[in-house]
Amino acid sequence: MTAQTVQQGDLVTVIGLEVHVQLETNTKIFCSCPTEPADEPNENVCPVCLGLPGALPVLNEAAVEAAVKVGKAIDADIPEETRFHRKNYYYPDLPKNFQITQYDEPICADGELEISVEGERRTVAIERAHLEEDPGSLQHVGGGIDTADYTLVDYNRAGVPLMEIVTAPDFRSPSEVRAFLADLEEVLEYLGVFDAGRDGSLRVDANLSIIPAEETNGDGTIDEEALAAANRTEVKNISSHKGAEKALAYEETRQKNAIQRGRAVEQETRHWDESRGITVSMRSKEEEKDYRYFEEADLPPLRVSDWKEEIAIPELPTARRERFQVEYDLSEEAASKLTSTKQVADFYEDVASEFDPDLAATWVADELLGELNYRDMEITDVEDRLGEVNRLVELVATDEITAKNAREAVLRGMLDDGDEPDTIVEREGLGKTGEDEVQQAVVEAIDENPDAVADYHAGEGGAINFLVGQVMQKTGGSADPGDVNQLLRAELEE
Ligand code: ADP
Ligand code: ZN
Ligand code: MG
């Protein structure tokens, strides 16, 4: 934690997160129902995820593998053996009246994630990360959670594998939370276990308390007792980075106002109402004992000790970013852009291995990503056309077409009309005019324009531009203006 100077009477904001992420698997965690979104409510269901009597859960290997990857990425302890528990509560989204989750033997404990906040590196401690099943989803009709006429329930989500990642109360501001969520998602996407674009794939419960500055230590840390003594609220129903920042900023102000007016902050669960931009009280905060946790006897303890060694993870974004700067001599900004997703980074390295890394950086980071971004597209949308982009870079690298034509005619044509680069080059006659032809055009331009030549020799700056224009016209725009300029000067000085 960065040291901060505090004054008497100052208040410090303390935030800890419980982040639920959906692990990308084909089937649910305890049954073989698909996790793909369905067209109709209650389509992807079976006796297991509907909690029908006598139905038994079978653990999905892919979910465990994904959890181990997350554990490795956050440098967590993965125990020899991990276990599942039943968390009991009654709510219509939970047909069994208990959720299968993990309790005192989670699959990951004591990890950390390095994040960057306004250019500075920070480490957030992760207390635990465990596997659990998602409940169903409720649809409130005719109002919000507290005003609806009635509520519909859809069990398509019930049993989808989740990982709950619990951080230490290490955040001191809502903007740090936003930075953490962005970096966390990036790591999870690199691992290939998470899809940020999937509806409902990220849900955050955020705990916030306000602590008098004099209870913090000189280095900004806060003792366990002070943390435990502080009344905190848990804000639920947050589903985006921006939503987290907004909900917490609201909650921070609300609690500070209460304290400054001499009122106590209630320890409670609050609901983030996205449309109204406020948090509303839901219930007094439940405690652990309310859930009557007990071991899930239908699932044997899971031994991951040998297996975890076989599960490999790819190089993570931060490490890759640093390597790109050193290995390809890229700026921090370029390296960041080029490692923004694993697909972009893989493609860059592919291009950089064949052509000049600098040229590759320009074409992947600026041209390709720029044009994709302009069209609201991602690299995954052109996954099967990367070979064509590679060919385009080759055309530029081997000087067959000008960079301007490559960008304005070829790349845009490829993206807008789906044509291949060579097809566009041929159709539009973009192939750079051969040297002889350009030389020929230079000689012609000089012969045909004695006035401009005289102006040039009289030292008039505009004359050369006029002549370049003439040559470009003769070559149909396919000569390189810089080259033409040089050829003209050489010819005129003879
Ligand atoms: P509970 O038993 O209520 O679930 P935990 O100890 O499991 O409490 O912590 C839940 C979350 O609350 C964690 O993310 C943790 O970082 C956070 N937390 C704990 N103490 C505080 C506090 N004083 N202020 C804000 N968040 C806190
Ligand atoms: Zn099912
Ligand atoms: Mg807890």
Side-chain angles (χ1 to χ4, degrees):
M1 192 66 41
T2 11
Q4 43 193 333
T5 43
V6 290
Q7 286 166 4
Q8 281 284 324
D10 269 0
L11 298 171
V12 174
T13 301
V14 178
I15 303 167
L17 303 179
E18 292 156 292
V19 184
H20 297 82
V21 294
Q22 176 173 344
L23 297 176
E24 283 294 315
T25 55
N26 295 327
T27 55
K28 292 183 180 180
I29 185 167
F30 299 123
C31 64
S32 52
C33 290
T35 53
E36 266 310 293
D39 297 330
E40 295 293 326
N42 298 307
E43 202 175 284
N44 296 342
V45 293
C46 75
V48 174
C49 54
L50 284 178
L52 300 188
L56 292 172
V58 178
L59 181 59
N60 180 350
E61 189 178 328
V64 179
E65 215 173 284
V68 170
K69 286 184 181 169
V70 175
K72 287 190 163 184
I74 60 172
D75 213 0
D77 298 333
I78 300 172
E80 295 276 293
E81 198 171 279
T82 173
R83 201 179 284 275
F84 289 89
H85 271 72
R86 293 182 177 186
K87 178 181 183 179
N88 297 280
Y89 65 96
Y90 176 82
Y91 205 60
D93 63 4
L94 196 68
K96 297 193 295 289
N97 289 337
F98 63 83
Q99 178 191 31
I100 305 180
T101 179
Q102 298 195 290
Y103 180 51
D104 52 356
E105 291 172 81
I107 191 159
C108 304
D110 282 332
E112 60 180 41
L113 185 71
E114 226 206 345
I115 63 165
S116 104
V117 186
E118 284 159 18
E120 271 184 52
R121 306 302 301 166
R122 280 265 323 271
T123 301
V124 174
I126 293 177
E127 291 176 352
R128 52 183 283 143
H130 67 251
L131 276 167
E132 62 185 29
E133 58 179 340
D134 204 357
S137 43
L138 300 179
Q139 192 192 329
H140 307 294
V141 181
I145 190 172
D146 48 349
T147 54
D149 298 329
Y150 58 94
T151 297
L152 297 168
V153 59
D154 176 4
Y155 294 116
N156 282 339
R157 286 200 69 92
V160 161
L162 299 183
M163 198 157 196
E164 177 175 335
I165 300 168
V166 182
T167 77
D170 275 358
F171 304 97
R172 296 292 173 268
S173 74
S175 60
E176 286 178 12
V177 167
R178 186 171 177 172
F180 170 83
L181 292 173
D183 286 358
L184 175 66
E185 280 199 349
E186 191 180 67
V187 167
L188 295 173
E189 290 209 300
Y190 256 72
L191 295 174
V193 303
F194 177 75
D195 178 1
R198 193 195 271 275
D199 211 25
S201 61
L202 173 91
R203 276 161 289 154
V204 181
D205 297 343
N207 298 269
L208 186 145
S209 67
I210 304 288
I211 292 183
E214 50 271 24
E215 285 177 29
T216 64
N217 302 320
D219 59 357
T221 58
I222 305 172
D223 293 332
E224 293 280 332
E225 302 84 72
L227 287 170
N231 268 3
R232 66 177 194 258
T233 56
E234 179 172 352
V235 183
K236 292 197 179 274
N237 191 43
I238 299 169
S239 56
S240 69
H241 309 177
K242 208 166 137 210
E245 188 176 23
K246 284 205 285 191
L248 287 165
Y250 178 88
E251 195 52 25
E252 181 180 43
T253 308
R254 193 188 67 81
Q255 289 193 20
K256 280 188 176 167
N257 282 345
I259 291 166
Q260 269 147 9
R261 287 179 193 149
R263 286 202 310 261
V265 171
E266 297 290 333
Q267 178 118 333
E268 62 181 355
T269 301
R270 298 179 70 88
H271 177 87
W272 168 237
D273 188 328
E274 177 92 55
S275 57
R276 288 193 284 171
I278 60 171
T279 66
V280 291
S281 177
M282 276 169 84
R283 54 176 186 260
S284 62
K285 189 171 161 31
E286 62 291 325
E287 289 175 44
E288 200 169 281
K289 64 179 189 316
D290 298 327
Y291 289 122
R292 300 290 186 275
Y293 278 97
F294 63 89
E295 254 175 54
E296 170 59 84
D298 290 336
L299 288 167
L302 176 71
R303 291 194 65 86
V304 275
S305 42
D306 308 327
W307 187 15
K308 74 181 177 200
E309 306 305 333
E310 293 161 24
I311 299 172
I313 60 168
E315 186 181 24
L316 295 173
T318 307
R320 204 164 189 187
R321 200 158 293 153
E322 283 162 9
R323 179 169 65 79
F324 273 24
Q325 289 181 55
V326 177
E327 190 171 334
Y328 302 112
D329 200 19
L330 298 175
S331 70
E332 197 184 330
E333 196 196 341
S336 280
K337 270 197 204 168
L338 291 169
T339 51
S340 58
T341 73
K342 186 169 180 295
Q343 288 79 3
V344 170
D346 287 347
F347 180 55
Y348 170 69
E349 294 219 82
D350 194 32
V351 180
S353 70
E354 276 184 69
F355 310 106
D356 171 47
D358 240 2
L359 183 77
T362 305
W363 277 88
V364 178
D366 302 335
E367 309 298 359
L368 177 63
L369 292 185
E371 293 295 330
L372 287 174
N373 188 36
Y374 179 72
R375 289 166 180 75
D376 232 346
M377 289 165 76
E378 314 240 358
I379 194 154
T380 42
D381 296 321
V382 290
E383 218 161 27
D384 50 350
R385 304 191 60 203
L386 292 177
E388 290 172 46
V389 180
N390 208 308
R391 169 69 184 143
L392 174 59
V393 180
E394 184 179 17
L395 288 170
V396 180
T398 53
D399 246 5
E400 283 171 63
I401 58 176
T402 64
K404 187 167 184 281
N405 282 336
R407 176 172 54 240
E408 290 173 9
V410 186
L411 182 57
R412 290 178 192 166
M414 284 167 64
L415 295 175
D416 291 334
D417 311 319
D419 293 332
E420 292 195 16
D422 288 294
T423 314
I424 302 171
V425 170
E426 216 164 293
R427 190 183 58 215
E428 318 264 326
L430 300 176
K432 258 199 202 168
T433 316
E435 269 174 52
D436 289 353
E437 235 176 291
V438 179
Q439 187 58 36
Q440 176 70 28
V442 165
V443 172
E444 276 176 29
I446 290 174
D447 284 350
E448 290 165 12
N449 297 284
D451 289 353
V453 173
D455 286 349
Y456 171 81
H457 289 299
E460 231 176 83
I464 190 84
N465 292 339
F466 171 78
L467 291 169
V468 169
Q470 294 301 302
V471 176
M472 294 304 286
Q473 226 169 47
K474 287 178 184 292
T475 57
S478 61
D480 183 280
D483 292 350
V484 170
N485 195 306
Q486 278 185 358
L487 287 170
L488 275 167
R489 283 179 196 278
E491 194 67 29
L492 289 163
E493 296 304 331
E494 265 186 10

